[in-house]
Amino acid sequence: MSDQRTQVGVPVLRRDLYAKVTGAATYTVDVSPPGTLHAKVVRSSHAHARITRIERDAALATPGVVGIVVAEDLKDLFPRFGHIVPDHCILAIGKVRYYGEPVALVVAESLFAAEDAAAAVEVHYEELDAVMTAGDALADGAPLVHEEFYRAATDESFAAMAAAPTEDGDGGARDNVAHTVELEWGDVDAAFADAHLVVENERVHYPMLYAYAMEPYNAVADFRDGRLHVTSTAQHPFMVRTDLARIFDLPLSRVRVEVPYLGGGYGSKSYTKVEPLAAIGSWATGRPVKLVLDVEESIYTTRADSADVTVRSAFDAEGRIIAREFDVVLDSGAYADNSPLVLAKTVNRCFGPYRVPNLRARGRSVYTNTSPASSYRGFGAPQGSLPGELNIEKAAAELGLDSFEIRRRNLVRPGEEILRGKRGIDADLLGDLEMLANSLQSHAREDSAIGIGFTASDAGAFPVSTAQIRLQVDGSVLVLSGSTEMGQGSESALAQIAAEELGVPLDAVSVAQSDTGTGPYERTTGASRTTTLAGLALQRACTEAKQKVVAMAAEVFGLPEADIASVPGGVQVADRPRVPFGEVISRWFGAAAGEVTGVGLVRREGVTQKMPPFWEVGVVGVDVEVDPDTGAVKVRQLATVADVGFAINPRAVEGQDLGAATQGLGGALFEELIYDGPQLVNPNMVEYRVPRMQDLAERIDTMIAERGDGVGPYGAKGAGEGTLNPMAAAVAGAVAKAIGRWPTRVPLTPERVWRLMNDLPEEDGE
Amino acid sequence: MLGTFTVSRPTELGQALDLIGEESLAYWGGTELFLAMKMQLLMPGNLVDLKGIPQLREIRMSGDELVIGAGTTHDEIATDPGVRGAAGLLSSVTSRVGNSRVRAQGTIGGNLCFAEPRSDLATVLLALDAMVQLQSSSGERRLSITEFLLGPYWTAREPEELLVAVCVPIPAATGVYLKFQFTERPSVAVTAVVSDGGQPCRLAIGAVADVPALHTAESWDEFDAASIAAGIEPVPDLTGSVTYKRHLTEVLVKKAIAAVRAGERDG
């Protein structure tokens, strides 16, 4: 079988390459229906304050202003959103919970008019005590971010994605704990009592991050005749549709969410963001409304949860883990967004792909008066693996084992469970480890400081996916998918799968994605699921289409179906020449007209019954040097292993892995959103430092391990997040070896490393 | 977003000088100006676009001076054979300013007038003993870099004055320019130069305090890196605390002096 494959497993150029490089590609910002009005958001200037009065008369008198919407105008709507906890006010109701929170929406004929008027909206506040850190929020008597209780959405899929039951906190009713998760098995206390060695890393901090998609959050909404049409920068248009339908009490069929090319997402465009704002603007004015955020506004819209994690692990004399214990606290900001799931995933992923006979992991997601946190590429794995893997490195040092050997003794073997009762791991981590070791060690120098990291993420999210394939009378093929092309290359991968399944040239296949009004349902574009789940749905759609063509051919030729063979590109009867799909369709309809649609469905059944649908492995290693004078860290080598089962487009897999590793390097060495008082001090691209070309390793080795062990097409599994996840841990471990000190936080900026190596306090004590 | 403003495009220096004032700002590449306008730190009613005045874009030798028109871009200075021959260090530093877009757009005059405390040019020009030439409709004057730079984003230029040229004595001193740069702008920059004429050794330290500082001595032996570092007042920011920046200063001073003594020359 496999040697007959011609369209998959070969590197192809991205389909959007030329359009994007030449600027011809269409993004949400390019969409302007006739008569479009422009919106500007009036934002909170306090971290926590009661809104006492909003004066909009002066602003309404500004030339060109069409309307100004505030929370009290939304009384007849459901004024909140949130797919897990609907706590998120479209416009602040009664009080603001973070600096930058939307308070009013100005809609005008031009963006200039909207901006001028926004500056003229006077919001009066009565300031409240704010909680700016998770520590502040958890303190006795801390001011409450939320006084109300919000009932969580009762969708069992979210429970299925968390290994342990997650519980709503009091929703803020008594404290600031938004969610808690507890995962436990075995007898942890007994194991610690019997341990040969106990290793602890206390309060390891992972920073707040901005995903830095080059495209900020944008949306265009057109509400008319009881229908809402939104074009936006959303990864999950079907999820956004659900939130919008609830706000306006519309049937799902009357809400259309369309997503053109997405200028990067990295998880930060998961779920609803600015769509409700544009939608209420259009609802209030009866005209299309466009909302375009700048970078600073985008940073205040969503960030990654920061984490403080304490980990203790117990080992026997042979260096085998006998127990691990984690305490995780996430600073989730002012609203829950996807943080309950990020929390559940942090807990699922923090202890790593190891045999852990006794485990206790406790997590709390905490509301603070900071910008709301949500999904970010890796989804809890980076936050959890930094302490988890650093702890393994520390144990190796204390046990006298090298980084590779301690993992050889502890990594799960293929098929073994990581999470009790869940799918066993569909990867060969020991095989990956040897690839990594060979690569790094064969290029090591005498003074090399090598750090490695392993993660396994319960990936794929919840397996609900549908796809359609439409065979055209001229032999061309249209693939319809609800999965968003967000730069990851799904347009190319889906085309390759369809071409392979149907036996048609790649050029014959067109792909249309992410339009809830015309395309098929896809639950999400996240958790690295598209190749595996959308790919499976597409394979099934192709199978159905081919079966239909066989049935049609049988009718056309007056033969039993059993006499018709489905062959690449068409059907064949005995030893007669192949009849292409188009000809069968044309003869069946009796005209050069008509088409055949195949539908493919994926749910929790068969190969995708067991959760998670697949494991996404992260296997990375770095070799660093530290400048003794400045503390600056230079990465000499980066090695990654993509354990993807089968690489549909190897070029894309390598690109995704290098991209993810580089993004991980950002959190490891450079990136951090910093609050000073109510505001961020670096909400811009000059002071929020991301990796640059010169920061890349001198030697880069992106390896692909293909063992056909995934449930997706041709044995494929997802990729794209894996190599980000253990990067901070690998870099921190390498730096620890270089300087002989254990970092307790990232990013490891030059000053931090210099202070660490000189045993200086973290900050000047002035 | 930018506010509303008009743009004048004079073609002669005299016209430009008549236009420039408190509400009517000189505009070259806009790399700093537009940022300040977008942040609404500056809200001029008019911009005087000086790119159409050829004499402001000239680089020429005049006696014992290299005269660089204020409207010359970093790239133009970096690639000018005359500058390379007469002031190799300046050529080298301009090739390392900011990023390629800034070097293509930004000008020497704009850079100095904006007085960004982390400017590379101010530091190297201070070491090279350069003068700036200011002109207004009522006259002209020459100031040293020290006289010109009064503080962060603050110069001795009067609103109606235009910086028309930067004059570097030639043959220019030679030496090295070292900086520690982790983010968009340097945390500390140190340049150490000597001239053939046996002038004193000159050490300029920039980017770290409000304005660049100059130290001179007859011999490199007279410089003590630790006490020089202790004497500066670093501005703490996201690229470093006071303690760290003092430390970096000491490190770079030592390295720069060692490099110059070993005969290294940039450019």
Side-chain angles (χ1 to χ4, degrees):
Chain A
M1 257 306 270
S2 63
D3 52 2
Q4 293 169 0
R5 289 179 197 147
T6 57
Q7 308 284 6
V8 294
V10 291
V12 302
L13 286 181
R14 307 175 56 93
R15 299 200 140 201
D16 49 8
L17 185 64
Y18 295 107
K20 284 182 175 173
V21 169
T22 59
T26 296
Y27 295 89
T28 298
V29 74
D30 300 312
V31 174
S32 289
T36 296
L37 297 172
H38 298 268
K40 181 73 188 173
V41 181
V42 177
R43 294 176 181 275
S44 165
S45 50
H46 297 276
H48 197 195
R50 203 168 304 290
I51 300 169
T52 54
R53 195 157 42 96
I54 302 177
E55 287 175 40
R56 42 182 163 169
D57 291 352
L60 274 168
T62 307
V65 170
V66 178
I68 298 174
V69 189
V70 300
E72 70 175 8
D73 302 326
L74 309 180
K75 279 182 182 141
D76 295 336
L77 305 179
F78 184 86
R80 293 192 180 88
F81 61 95
H83 60 287
I84 301 178
V85 184
D87 61 355
H88 206 142
C89 306
I90 302 171
L91 292 167
I93 302 170
K95 71 171 191 174
V96 291
R97 294 180 173 85
Y98 67 98
Y99 177 94
E101 177 165 11
V103 174
L105 185 80
V106 177
V107 181
E109 296 287 349
S110 73
L111 189 50
F112 289 98
E115 294 208 337
D116 287 350
V121 174
E122 276 187 55
V123 185
H124 299 265
Y125 297 99
E126 179 189 311
E127 212 167 333
L128 300 169
D129 288 340
V131 285
M132 299 307 296
T133 66
D136 290 350
L138 290 172
D140 285 341
L144 296 179
V145 179
H146 291 268
E147 287 87 4
E148 307 92 302
F149 177 81
Y150 311 100
R151 194 159 300 283
T154 54
D155 182 337
E156 73 169 88
S157 63
F158 289 102
M161 285 188 278
T166 71
E167 283 179 18
D168 302 336
D170 298 317
R174 277 201 308 260
D175 59 31
N176 288 312
V177 176
H179 264 72
T180 60
V181 178
E182 310 248 354
L183 189 60
E184 181 160 0
W185 58 68
D187 188 339
V188 173
D189 298 327
F192 272 101
D194 290 347
H196 165 73
L197 174 72
V198 173
V199 180
E200 177 166 340
N201 294 62
E202 203 184 339
R203 281 181 61 82
V204 177
H205 181 76
Y206 195 85
M208 295 180 184
L209 295 175
Y210 175 53
Y212 190 19
M214 283 174 75
E215 176 195 46
Y217 299 103
N218 304 320
V220 182
D222 192 356
F223 195 112
R224 65 177 85 185
D225 306 327
R227 290 173 185 275
L228 175 60
H229 183 179
V230 171
T231 304
S232 86
T233 54
Q235 287 180 220
H236 311 338
F238 287 88
M239 286 280 186
V240 173
R241 181 181 67 156
T242 304
D243 268 327
L244 292 172
R246 181 172 53 186
I247 290 166
F248 297 102
D249 193 21
L250 288 171
L252 292 175
S253 58
R254 290 201 180 186
V255 180
R256 178 178 177 189
V257 180
E258 218 182 328
V259 182
Y261 280 130
L262 205 61
Y266 314 109
S268 71
K269 289 172 181 165
S270 306
Y271 310 103
T272 306
K273 299 288 184 261
V274 294
E275 296 84 358
L277 285 168
I280 57 165
S282 180
W283 168 81
T285 60
R287 284 171 60 184
V289 168
K290 183 169 182 173
L291 177 62
V292 173
L293 299 197
D294 63 24
V295 170
E296 179 167 341
E297 289 179 296
S298 294
I299 289 175
Y300 278 113
T301 299
T302 306
R303 61 172 173 87
D305 295 81
S306 60
D308 286 295
V309 180
T310 295
V311 48
R312 281 200 321 148
S313 301
F315 294 83
D316 68 14
E318 279 74 51
R320 288 186 301 250
I321 296 167
I322 54 175
R324 303 197 84 179
E325 184 171 22
F326 286 80
D327 180 58
V328 175
V329 175
L330 298 185
D331 178 342
S332 299
Y335 293 105
D337 202 314
N338 208 35
S339 289
L341 200 57
V342 174
L343 177 71
K345 295 298 189 185
T346 310
V347 167
N348 287 357
R349 297 166 179 181
C350 62
F351 53 90
Y354 304 111
R355 294 166 160 170
V356 183
N358 303 286
L359 175 81
R360 183 185 299 137
R362 169 186 187 223
R364 286 171 289 171
S365 156
V366 179
Y367 285 129
T368 61
N369 292 115
T370 62
S371 70
S374 184
S375 316
Y376 176 94
R377 197 176 195 173
F379 221 110
Q383 290 96 325
S385 73
L386 173 68
E389 288 293 275
L390 208 50
N391 182 251
I392 296 287
E393 289 285 331
K394 195 174 175 185
E398 294 192 22
L399 288 159
L401 300 173
D402 76 22
S403 302
F404 298 99
E405 186 53 34
I406 193 169
R407 288 178 174 85
R408 279 188 197 103
R409 296 185 188 185
N410 287 289
L411 284 168
V412 287
R413 282 21 182 192
E416 280 183 3
E417 281 180 2
I418 295 174
L419 291 168
R420 299 293 157 98
K422 300 285 181 176
R423 181 186 299 273
I425 188 148
D426 45 1
D428 179 1
L429 293 170
L430 283 181
D432 299 340
L433 175 120
E434 299 311 333
M435 290 169 72
L436 190 72
N438 285 338
S439 175
L440 290 167
Q441 288 173 340
S442 62
H443 291 79
R445 289 185 251 164
E446 217 161 77
D447 61 346
S448 275
I450 291 176
I452 63 174
F454 276 69
T455 55
S457 295
D458 43 334
F462 195 77
V464 173
S465 182
T466 76
Q468 292 175 22
I469 189 119
R470 291 163 58 190
L471 306 182
Q472 304 299 297
V473 72
D474 64 355
S476 66
V477 174
L478 186 56
V479 171
L480 298 182
S481 168
S483 177
T484 300
E485 171 57 70
M486 50 190 279
Q488 83 280 49
S490 62
E491 187 181 1
S492 301
L494 293 174
Q496 284 180 277
I497 292 169
E500 179 69 34
E501 293 300 306
L502 298 170
V504 299
L506 193 57
D507 287 349
V509 182
S510 295
V511 180
Q513 294 172 267
S514 289
D515 182 343
T516 69
T518 60
Y521 182 91
E522 183 73 38
R523 185 181 165 85
T524 57
T525 306
S528 305
R529 71 201 294 280
T530 295
T531 301
T532 309
L533 298 177
L536 266 184
L538 178 57
Q539 271 189 316
R540 291 172 186 175
C542 291
T543 301
E544 187 184 280
K546 287 190 287 187
Q547 286 166 351
K548 283 185 178 172
V549 173
V550 166
M552 291 160 94
E555 206 178 318
V556 166
F557 298 123
L559 291 167
E561 281 184 32
D563 290 355
I564 314 283
S566 183
V567 297
V571 297
Q572 196 158 17
V573 181
D575 52 0
R576 279 190 261 165
R578 179 188 71 117
V579 186
F581 294 126
E583 190 179 326
V584 176
I585 293 166
S586 172
R587 288 178 66 172
W588 192 87
F589 281 100
E595 67 175 28
V596 167
T597 303
V599 173
L601 307 176
V602 170
R603 58 176 172 146
R604 273 195 75 185
E605 170 236 27
V607 293
T608 49
Q609 205 286 320
K610 244 191 160 176
M611 292 291 282
F614 61 92
W615 286 90
E616 183 174 4
V617 164
V619 179
V620 305
V622 293
D623 177 355
V624 308
E625 68 181 73
V626 175
D627 184 331
D629 286 332
T630 64
V633 177
K634 187 163 117 186
V635 184
R636 285 182 186 164
Q637 297 194 65
L638 166 71
T640 62
V641 181
D643 187 326
V644 294
F646 178 79
I648 308 277
N649 183 0
R651 190 194 300 261
V653 171
E654 288 189 44
Q656 282 292 299
D657 268 11
L658 180 55
T662 305
Q663 196 165 14
L665 196 64
L669 292 179
F670 315 115
E671 295 181 38
E672 179 173 27
L673 290 170
I674 300 167
Y675 268 94
D676 183 10
Q679 293 188 52
L680 288 165
V681 292
N682 58 344
N684 60 69
M685 297 328 302
V686 172
E687 287 158 302
Y688 184 81
R689 160 72 153 98
V690 296
R692 304 169 179 168
M693 239 20 197
Q694 307 96 286
D695 300 319
L696 295 190
E698 291 167 359
R699 173 178 177 267
I700 294 170
D701 189 9
T702 50
M703 295 168 274
I704 302 181
E706 294 179 282
R707 305 186 186 96
D709 44 12
V711 299
Y714 326 109
K717 290 173 285 189
E721 295 183 3
T723 53
L724 184 149
N725 298 339
M727 271 303 285
V731 171
V735 168
K737 283 182 189 165
I739 67 171
R741 311 280 193 285
W742 292 100
T744 55
R745 63 189 302 155
V746 292
L748 290 166
T749 58
E751 177 165 0
R752 269 198 192 129
V753 175
W754 175 76
R755 284 177 177 273
L756 200 56
M757 60 205 279
N758 289 290
D759 300 316
L760 295 170
E762 281 191 0
E763 288 170 18
D764 279 355
E766 287 163 290
Chain B
M1 183 184 267
L2 291 171
T4 307
F5 57 91
T6 55
V7 180
S8 327
R9 294 206 164 84
T11 52
E12 285 172 21
L13 183 57
Q15 297 171 331
L17 295 177
D18 288 342
L19 287 165
I20 283 171
E22 197 90 54
E23 290 297 312
S24 185
L25 303 183
Y27 154 47
W28 293 110
T31 58
E32 307 273 21
L33 179 64
F34 287 140
L35 283 181
M37 287 169 66
K38 280 181 185 170
M39 294 169 79
Q40 308 198 334
L41 298 171
L42 290 173
M43 289 185 276
N46 184 53
L47 296 184
V48 184
D49 182 352
L50 300 166
K51 290 192 282 290
I53 303 173
Q55 77 185 87
L56 295 176
R57 312 192 64 175
E58 276 176 10
I59 297 176
R60 61 192 164 86
M61 302 296 167
S62 171
D64 56 359
E65 278 187 339
L66 168 68
V67 180
I68 301 172
T72 315
T73 66
H74 304 301
D75 267 347
E76 284 164 352
I77 297 170
T79 56
D80 186 271
V83 177
R84 201 176 288 170
L89 177 62
L90 179 62
S91 179
S92 164
V93 171
T94 47
S95 75
R96 290 181 272 158
V97 166
N99 54 56
S100 62
R101 288 188 304 171
V102 166
R103 291 192 295 272
Q105 286 274 107
T107 62
I108 188 169
N111 183 295
L112 290 173
C113 288
F114 199 72
E116 156 63 58
R118 292 160 295 185
S119 162
D120 291 299
L121 281 180
T123 308
V124 71
L125 290 171
L126 177 64
L128 296 178
D129 204 17
M131 303 290 283
V132 295
Q133 200 173 321
L134 298 169
Q135 200 170 331
S136 69
S137 32
S138 55
E140 62 177 87
R141 55 180 179 146
R142 278 164 68 101
L143 299 177
S144 69
I145 297 293
T146 310
E147 290 164 333
F148 180 68
L149 294 176
L150 301 179
Y153 314 103
W154 181 29
T155 71
R157 189 184 65 83
E158 297 296 333
E160 64 278 6
E161 279 183 314
L162 179 66
L163 194 161
V164 292
V166 177
C167 307
V168 181
I170 49 173
T174 59
V176 297
Y177 183 86
L178 303 178
K179 56 180 173 177
F180 182 78
Q181 187 165 350
F182 172 65
T183 59
E184 192 69 13
R185 297 194 172 93
S187 309
V188 181
V190 173
T191 182
V193 301
V194 285
S195 65
D196 292 342
Q199 245 180 294
C201 306
R202 295 169 68 90
L203 184 77
I205 298 165
V208 65
D210 284 348
V211 289
L214 181 69
H215 298 262
T216 59
E218 291 305 316
S219 149
W220 292 116
D221 289 330
E222 293 173 39
F223 293 101
D224 173 42
S227 58
I228 289 172
I232 58 162
E233 287 300 330
V235 178
D237 60 19
L238 294 178
T239 75
S241 64
V242 168
T243 307
Y244 183 59
K245 286 187 171 183
R246 280 216 179 98
H247 164 75
L248 288 176
T249 304
E250 185 180 339
V251 166
L252 289 189
V253 166
K254 282 182 187 160
K255 283 187 176 174
I257 291 175
V260 169
R261 298 189 100 169
E264 286 179 33
R265 296 291 183 269
D266 288 350

